[in-house]
Amino acid sequence: MKSGKFVLSTGLVLILVLGVIMLVTVYESASTAMSQQIDNQQKELIRIASSLLRNQGGDLVVREEKLYAGETPVTGNHLLADQISSISGGEVSLYHVAGDDVVRVATTRIAANNERASGGRLNPGAEQALFGNADIKAFSIREELDGEEVITRYDYLRSPEGEILGVIQLSTPTEPYDKQLEAVYYRSFLVTGLALLVIAGFVFFALNMLTKQIARISGQSEAMLNSTREGVFGMDLQGKGTFLNAAGSRYLGYTEREILEKDMAELVRKKRAKVEGAERKPFTALASSDDSIANEDEFQAKDGEPFPVHFFVSPIMENEQTTGYVVSFTNLTEAKKAEERVASMTDRLEAIIQSAEKEHLPEKSSS
């Protein structure tokens, strides 16, 4: 029964672990998909913003140390940043690259004095990422902006010849996406939870039925083993005791607990070298043996009293491999006594017959 409960508990734990793995996998997949969606939307918004800049006046150029879109100034043109922000729904800043300086020239960001926060430098981390590595084409980071979590993307503003003239910063609030992700997660949690409950119920029912069946078969086997008049004990490959039935316990005087892990040959075989002139063989060497002489022996009970037995050793086979041995033995004490009684009665009968023959035979006449 303990093994059955162990199987049930192990099965349910495995189902729980499987559920956690499924939920983590769903969450990670949904999170990755959501991040990819944000990244794609930001790329599209920056493409729209670049088109909007060109539509304002033309290609990006620098004149009099200021950034222009054709004839339309970008530097100081906060209306342009507002137009881009109305499309993206987040904060927008435009930067002018002048030598080693990357300065904010237009923005939707409001400073503490309620004016546009122009003139500030690009985030050092973004500047290092964009200009410290020639292979970088854009840079995205998840950060907190004025107490709100956003994903900010930085990308280049280039001239028709490919020269980097500026940087566009576009910050997208993550709250709407986080809510979507949370909804996906909760739906997945409910669906996975219901699925796991169904699976757990089925597995519990199946394992419970299997456990009961195993317990019933085990109980029947144990009852059969204990109902036989023959003594039976088991051994592992080293000859150590593994089980003992009721008859064996009665004959040997040991409980099953007392024979476990004990050398059965040392424990039960009477200490002598030979059996009726034959070399005494180990139990394991007599597996499936039909040698009637070798299988006749004397076992010794716990109290030291020997008794005659006839035993048979059978190998326990699992997957065509011997994993142990079963020794079944018959206590011949009563049989030996019966033989002695029969022999005694036979002797007495023969004596009576001989005596009667002497009394009734005629005497020989003398010649």
Side-chain angles (χ1 to χ4, degrees):
M1 292 302 293
K2 289 183 178 179
S3 61
K5 291 180 180 179
F6 175 76
V7 170
L8 280 173
S9 59
T10 301
L12 294 176
V13 168
L14 289 176
I15 290 173
L16 179 61
V17 171
L18 176 63
V20 172
I21 292 174
M22 289 174 62
L23 287 174
V24 170
T25 302
V26 168
Y27 182 81
E28 291 295 332
S29 299
S31 179
T32 300
M34 203 66 69
S35 297
Q36 186 63 46
Q37 180 182 350
I38 295 173
D39 188 61
N40 291 337
Q41 287 181 350
Q42 286 188 324
K43 287 180 181 178
E44 181 63 18
L45 288 170
I46 287 178
R47 187 189 66 78
I48 293 172
S50 298
S51 298
L52 184 60
L53 286 173
R54 286 194 297 272
N55 292 336
Q56 289 292 324
D59 296 324
L60 288 176
V61 294
V62 175
R63 287 198 299 270
E64 298 176 356
E65 298 184 354
K66 292 183 179 181
L67 190 61
Y68 283 80
E71 299 298 325
T72 302
V74 175
T75 301
N77 191 347
H78 302 299
L79 181 60
L80 185 60
D82 290 339
Q83 288 177 311
I84 298 172
S85 178
S86 66
I87 300 171
S88 68
E91 183 179 291
V92 174
S93 292
L94 302 173
Y95 294 84
H96 176 205
V97 178
D100 293 333
D101 295 327
V102 185
V103 182
R104 185 188 295 120
V105 293
T107 184
T108 59
R109 187 171 182 76
I110 304 299
N113 58 3
N114 290 326
E115 295 182 358
R116 301 291 178 134
S118 58
R121 289 185 61 86
L122 183 64
N123 180 300
E127 185 173 343
Q128 175 62 30
L130 289 170
F131 298 98
N133 190 336
D135 296 330
I136 295 294
K137 296 182 179 179
F139 174 68
S140 294
I141 184 173
R142 195 179 185 103
E143 60 185 356
E144 189 173 298
L145 194 63
D146 295 333
E148 184 180 29
E149 191 169 8
V150 298
I151 292 180
T152 301
R153 184 179 180 85
Y154 298 87
D155 210 336
Y156 300 111
L157 297 175
R158 298 176 183 270
S159 69
E161 294 77 20
E163 182 184 359
I164 298 174
L165 301 180
V167 172
I168 181 171
Q169 171 193 334
L170 191 153
S171 298
T172 304
T174 62
E175 183 179 2
Y177 300 97
D178 289 340
K179 287 183 177 179
Q180 291 181 42
L181 182 60
E182 187 175 320
V184 169
Y185 177 72
Y186 282 128
R187 286 197 297 270
S188 301
F189 179 81
L190 289 175
V191 172
T192 303
L194 288 174
L196 288 176
L197 283 176
V198 172
I199 294 172
F202 175 77
V203 171
F204 179 83
F205 175 78
L207 288 178
N208 191 44
M209 293 295 293
L210 180 61
T211 301
K212 288 181 178 179
Q213 186 175 0
I214 291 173
R216 184 169 60 253
I217 294 173
S218 177
Q220 291 173 348
S221 300
E222 186 174 353
M224 291 174 61
L225 192 63
N226 287 326
S227 64
T228 180
R229 297 180 62 181
E230 289 188 326
V232 182
F233 60 83
M235 302 183 301
D236 60 19
L237 294 175
Q238 286 71 45
K240 303 295 181 63
T242 56
F243 67 86
L244 177 68
N245 76 337
S249 179
R250 186 168 62 253
Y251 295 144
L252 295 172
Y254 293 101
T255 64
E256 185 177 62
R257 183 183 296 273
E258 288 176 313
I259 66 100
L260 297 180
E261 300 297 323
K262 300 292 178 57
D263 188 316
M264 294 305 295
E266 291 290 330
L267 195 67
V268 306
R269 298 186 90 173
K270 186 178 178 183
K271 309 299 185 293
R272 56 177 180 153
K274 297 183 179 180
V275 180
E276 297 182 5
E279 290 290 337
R280 174 180 267 177
K281 297 179 182 179
F283 279 137
T284 54
L286 294 171
S288 301
S289 170
D290 292 326
D291 187 339
S292 59
I293 296 178
N295 288 15
E296 292 280 346
D297 206 340
E298 280 189 321
F299 284 178
Q300 188 164 281
K302 183 178 180 181
D303 59 8
E305 188 67 27
F307 58 93
V309 297
H310 181 272
F311 68 91
F312 189 78
V313 184
S314 301
I316 300 174
M317 305 296 293
E318 294 182 13
N319 299 322
E320 300 183 357
Q321 297 290 327
T322 301
T323 58
Y325 300 93
V326 173
V327 178
S328 57
F329 64 93
T330 303
N331 189 334
L332 300 179
T333 301
E334 294 302 322
K336 293 292 186 182
K337 289 180 179 179
E339 286 180 2
E340 291 175 0
R341 287 195 297 269
V342 169
S344 176
M345 291 174 63
T346 300
D347 291 343
R348 289 174 60 189
L349 182 59
E350 287 180 352
I352 292 171
I353 292 173
Q354 291 177 1
S355 176
E357 287 178 346
K358 288 181 179 181
E359 290 178 1
H360 293 87
L361 286 175
E363 294 183 359
K364 294 182 181 181
S365 58
S366 56
S367 52

